[in-house]
Amino acid sequence: MRSKRMTWVLTLTATAAVLGVVTLQSCSGAGRGADVSAIARARGLTEADIVAAVKTFQPTGKMDEYLMFGSGGHSGQVVVIGVPSMRLLKVIAVFTPEPWQGFGYGSDEHKALFENARMAGHDITWGDSHHPALSETDGDYDGQFLFINDKANPRIAVIDLRDFETKQIVTNPNMGTNHGGTFVTPNTEYVIEGAQYSVPLWTDYADVDRYEEDYRGLITMWKFDRDRGRIDEAASFSIVLPPYWHDLADAGKGPSFGWAFLNSFNTEMATGGVEDGNPPFEAGASRNDMDYMHIINWQKAAEVAAAGNTRMARGRRVIPLQTAIDEGLLFFVPEPKSPHGVDVTPDGRFLVVSGKLDPHVTVYSFAKIQQAIQNGDFTSTDPYGVPILDFNSVIEGQLEVGLGPLHTQYDNRGNAYTSIFLESQVTKWSLDPLAVVDKIDVHYNVGHLAAVEGDTKSPDGKYLVAMNKWSLDRFNNVGPLLPQNFQLIDISGDEMELIYDMPIGVGEPHYAQIIKADKLQPFEIYPEIGFDPSTMSTASDAVQAGEERIERRGRNVDVYMTAIRSHFNPEYIRVREGDNVTIHITSIEQVRDATHGFGIAKYNINLSIEPGESQTVSFVADAPGVFPFYCTEFCSALHLEMMGYLLVSPR
Ligand code: CUK
Ligand code: CUA
């Protein structure tokens, strides 16, 4: 497309003049006599490198303009990264216990959360988080909540962005795994979760030879109660789908409000079995040239569910497939070859689908889809009776973007950006007219893209992050398991410019969303002393200064404790072996960042108690002996002295 190396024509002096900050030849005063060009020469930096550095460097104390919420992949967490500096600010514990945040190391609040997150009789202490979704109001991020799916164990988590903590995990017993989640409807009425691999629905067990009869796909619309900050499980519902494998989803907005779109593959219903001489799943599931995009009227489905037109499956409300067909909730349109992403344009008028085995993006017109549905313009039905729209009559066009297109994001100038997996590129293309505008190499094997506010109704168009699956030769060798590489791309100009590489060494992130930082209003400290983050209200067992005490009733011991620099009160907890101990701890700190930890040696307990926070930890004192407990955050000069003894006398 162009010779990138040759486009860097700025001289150092010109760069300096444009920036108006320093004179690069001689920087007396600007860096204690540092000579920027000499430093650049010594480090082997090009002029483009210097421009990239100036575009991304944040001096101490300067905040980033955007925050990126990235999935943490099989770490099960969410990573929070400042953009454009690409500094890692936080790893939010979601599906996996995390000791720094005291998440899953003894607090009763987290025990309850993990209890609700159990599946198939198992404690599940990891997740494969793929798609974070920021809550939206009128199709725009509102900065209040974040949702994320666990693909491995079909679950959805709710994170409250007032304190960046996970508040709820809901399970979906009717799915085998999920993938088409999370995506929110434009006012966060619902959080969408589409299944991935189909499993038996109405029966708990059926061998794969009963695949077409007993296995089913599913899409779940989780009702979000914004006031409570929780998914309302009872008000949620699912729609049964044919046993294809389902992939990514997106919610319509603007003119397509009320509709959801879900990709599928393996419409061949291949059942694999390479060991029996059958084609492996990868071949069997890729035979057809077309799979089906699922077009779902969720608004009408909500009415059908409210009218009681549902059956119960494993305790959840489900709209049967035949009901979905009869009520006009579900339509198919062919989509080319192993589709992956489906991404609604900012104006809500078009849907962009990429087929992994097709070099094109296909742009569907929502207006044409609606027209065809209203006219009953169907070419046929699938084996289960779902009406199929005519591909050619509902597409706006197709554009060749490269080999292995996956995911698409948007800017504020009518451009789309599609990740090209096989060619390790990002293709920028215009929606009207359909034309390729620019391509840039990324390193390597790019998956998702995240553009700033890039899937809202008003993208910002400044930056794009390529979330690359391989990093190969980009970083120091840290052994055979390599980090992924997030590459920051400046998309504000006509040509894309790669300006930063950020290794991600916690798991394999998939998708991210990037929000303007000033839309977030997190607490600096909890709003009152004795605040319980699990309910976002005053804890019933909050302890105020002067109320510290230990109460015994038989073998139950309740410890009412406060924490403030630099002591716990009480400092001795004397119990008998076998006692049930409950420690109610309140931080009576009111100073920002004055966090205390509470770790008990050899009992696998650690809490993080932020200013104002109240937490409860219960355990059986089943090991006799003397166990120091101490503050695990370096909170003051006398932090090492912030300790006490758990004295468990033998029975
Ligand atoms: S998926 Cu991983 S690159 Cu789970 Cu959204 Cu496409
Ligand atoms: Cu409190 Cu260290």
Side-chain angles (χ1 to χ4, degrees):
M1 175 128 249
R2 74 199 149 96
S3 166
K4 196 164 299 298
R5 300 289 174 275
M6 297 309 293
T7 61
W8 295 331
V9 293
L10 290 177
T11 65
L12 290 178
T13 315
T15 307
V18 167
L19 296 167
V21 184
V22 289
T23 308
L24 293 174
Q25 280 86 350
S26 140
C27 288
S28 51
R32 293 198 184 143
D35 181 334
V36 173
S37 53
I39 295 169
R41 261 195 314 277
R43 296 196 64 217
L45 301 181
T46 66
E47 293 147 25
D49 295 336
I50 296 169
V51 172
V54 173
K55 283 182 174 180
T56 55
F57 176 70
Q58 291 290 23
T60 183
K62 201 150 187 266
M63 307 297 155
D64 279 302
E65 187 180 0
Y66 293 94
L67 287 191
M68 171 158 70
F69 292 88
S71 76
H74 22 35
S75 76
Q77 318 292 43
V78 163
V79 290
V80 186
I81 295 162
V83 176
S85 75
M86 303 305 280
R87 292 178 294 192
L88 175 65
L89 302 178
K90 199 168 205 175
V91 178
I92 304 174
V94 184
F95 295 111
T96 304
E98 201 287 318
W100 168 56
Q101 292 154 78
F103 186 76
Y105 287 91
S107 94
D108 289 3
E109 294 81 4
H110 297 138
K111 274 182 207 153
L113 185 122
F114 278 105
E115 183 63 31
N116 200 51
R118 287 168 60 86
M119 295 202 83
H122 296 126
D123 287 328
I124 310 277
T125 57
W126 74 293
D128 186 7
S129 57
H130 276 230
H131 305 111
L134 288 155
S135 58
E136 294 182 9
T137 299
D138 191 24
D140 222 343
Y141 302 150
D142 56 38
Q144 293 187 358
F145 295 94
L146 182 76
F147 308 92
I148 189 152
N149 70 318
D150 168 12
K151 168 173 164 162
N153 319 284
R155 302 181 297 174
I156 301 291
V158 180
I159 297 159
D160 193 321
L161 294 177
R162 281 174 291 182
D163 63 356
F164 284 49
E165 286 194 2
T166 301
K167 303 299 176 184
Q168 185 184 27
I169 297 174
V170 294
T171 60
N172 201 327
N174 292 318
M175 290 184 181
T177 55
N178 73 29
H179 198 220
T182 54
F183 299 91
V184 298
T185 58
N187 295 299
T188 323
E189 296 92 343
Y190 289 92
V191 181
I192 299 171
E193 179 190 20
Q196 182 133 73
Y197 308 118
S198 294
V199 290
L201 177 64
W202 302 112
T203 172
D204 281 336
Y205 183 79
D207 206 329
V208 285
D209 58 5
R210 296 275 308 164
Y211 189 84
E212 294 181 19
E213 296 84 356
D214 289 340
Y215 287 50
R216 289 294 177 268
L218 203 73
I219 186 167
T220 298
M221 303 297 294
W222 292 102
K223 181 77 192 143
F224 186 59
D225 180 341
R226 199 187 279 263
D227 291 338
R228 285 179 53 237
R230 293 289 188 280
I231 283 171
D232 183 343
E233 297 186 59
S236 305
F237 65 92
S238 303
I239 304 170
V240 181
L241 304 172
Y244 310 140
W245 293 347
H246 296 93
D247 208 37
L248 294 198
D250 204 358
K253 50 167 112 47
S256 52
F257 179 88
W259 294 76
F261 311 96
L262 175 68
N263 283 340
S264 68
F265 61 118
N266 196 16
T267 49
E268 298 85 349
M269 295 187 281
T271 51
V274 67
E275 64 276 37
D276 295 333
N278 299 324
F281 275 116
E282 60 174 318
S286 311
R287 258 192 331 259
N288 293 351
D289 281 338
M290 292 284 197
D291 293 290
Y292 299 127
M293 191 215 297
H294 294 36
I295 302 162
I296 295 162
N297 188 338
W298 64 258
Q299 217 170 13
K300 194 164 173 202
E303 291 165 17
V304 168
N309 246 333
T310 51
R311 277 179 67 183
M312 296 304 278
R314 301 183 181 102
R316 309 298 173 92
R317 292 196 304 163
V318 165
I319 298 175
L321 178 54
Q322 192 58 51
T323 308
I325 296 167
D326 294 344
E327 297 281 349
L329 310 180
L330 177 64
F331 304 91
F332 287 169
V333 64
E335 50 183 359
K337 208 108 184 149
S338 295
H340 194 41
V342 50
D343 297 286
V344 176
T345 55
D347 61 11
R349 292 170 59 212
F350 303 101
L351 324 168
V352 175
V353 170
S354 302
K356 284 174 290 186
L357 302 179
D358 181 277
H360 300 90
V361 286
T362 303
V363 182
Y364 294 81
S365 157
F366 182 73
K368 290 180 182 175
I369 288 172
Q370 279 308 298
Q371 201 59 56
I373 290 173
Q374 268 150 38
N375 296 347
D377 214 347
F378 309 125
T379 56
S380 57
T381 63
D382 87 326
Y384 296 86
V386 181
I388 302 172
L389 307 180
D390 175 43
F391 176 75
N392 287 309
S393 69
V394 301
I395 68 167
E396 194 67 16
Q398 288 187 296
L399 179 69
E400 186 164 339
V401 290
L403 295 177
L406 297 184
H407 298 289
T408 298
Q409 293 270 291
Y410 303 97
D411 71 12
N412 51 355
R413 301 179 302 278
N415 298 305
Y417 299 78
T418 299
S419 51
I420 312 293
F421 182 80
L422 294 178
E423 293 184 279
S424 292
Q425 287 189 321
V426 175
T427 298
K428 172 183 177 180
W429 51 280
S430 63
L431 282 153
D432 186 16
L434 274 184
V436 171
V437 176
D438 189 24
K439 289 189 180 191
I440 190 170
D441 290 334
V442 291
H443 312 91
Y444 303 89
N445 295 13
V446 56
H448 274 274
L449 303 174
V452 286
E453 307 239 337
D455 77 339
T456 69
K457 69 169 186 184
S458 61
D460 281 8
K462 284 190 177 176
Y463 303 105
L464 178 89
V465 175
M467 306 174 72
N468 305 328
K469 300 297 176 186
W470 288 24
S471 61
L472 276 175
D473 54 4
R474 294 294 99 174
F475 304 114
N476 297 67
N477 187 351
V478 289
L481 178 62
L482 276 64
Q484 278 202 254
N485 187 6
F486 281 8
Q487 288 189 307
L488 181 68
I489 297 169
D490 180 346
I491 57 168
S492 61
D494 289 339
E495 295 183 342
M496 296 179 278
E497 295 291 351
L498 180 55
I499 55 175
Y500 201 80
D501 279 27
M502 179 196 189
I504 300 286
V506 299
E508 188 207 342
H510 289 260
Y511 182 46
Q513 290 189 337
I514 307 175
I515 184 175
K516 195 93 194 303
D518 62 15
K519 286 184 174 178
L520 296 160
Q521 307 283 323
F523 296 146
E524 295 196 339
I525 59 171
Y526 281 109
E528 58 191 53
I529 289 176
F531 198 81
D532 177 358
S534 74
T535 59
M536 286 304 214
S537 61
T538 313
S540 55
D541 61 349
V543 187
Q544 303 297 333
E547 293 178 351
E548 299 90 347
R549 64 199 182 276
I550 296 181
E551 292 177 359
R552 296 160 199 282
R553 277 167 288 103
R555 298 186 71 165
N556 298 322
V557 180
D558 284 276
V559 181
Y560 294 89
M561 180 183 276
T562 58
I564 190 164
R565 281 161 295 165
S566 296
H567 60 272
F568 297 107
N569 183 6
E571 292 185 327
Y572 306 139
I573 301 173
R574 288 195 182 86
V575 298
R576 303 278 316 269
E577 179 184 355
D579 282 352
N580 303 309
V581 183
T582 305
I583 306 174
H584 315 260
I585 309 183
T586 298
S587 165
I588 55 176
E589 294 282 359
Q590 289 287 276
V591 173
R592 192 176 182 206
D593 210 2
T595 295
H596 299 292
F598 180 77
I600 304 179
K602 305 178 188 174
Y603 267 84
N604 200 36
I605 287 170
N606 189 44
L607 310 180
S608 170
I609 315 159
E610 290 110 53
E613 183 173 2
S614 181
Q615 284 204 49
T616 310
V617 52
S618 334
F619 60 97
V620 178
D622 49 9
V626 174
F627 305 92
F629 58 83
Y630 72 98
C631 170
T632 48
E633 284 269 342
F634 200 133
C635 54
S636 75
L638 296 177
H639 147 82
L640 292 183
E641 290 77 1
M642 188 166 179
M643 66 82 66
Y645 287 104
L646 168 68
L647 301 137
V648 184
S649 58
R651 237 173 228 285

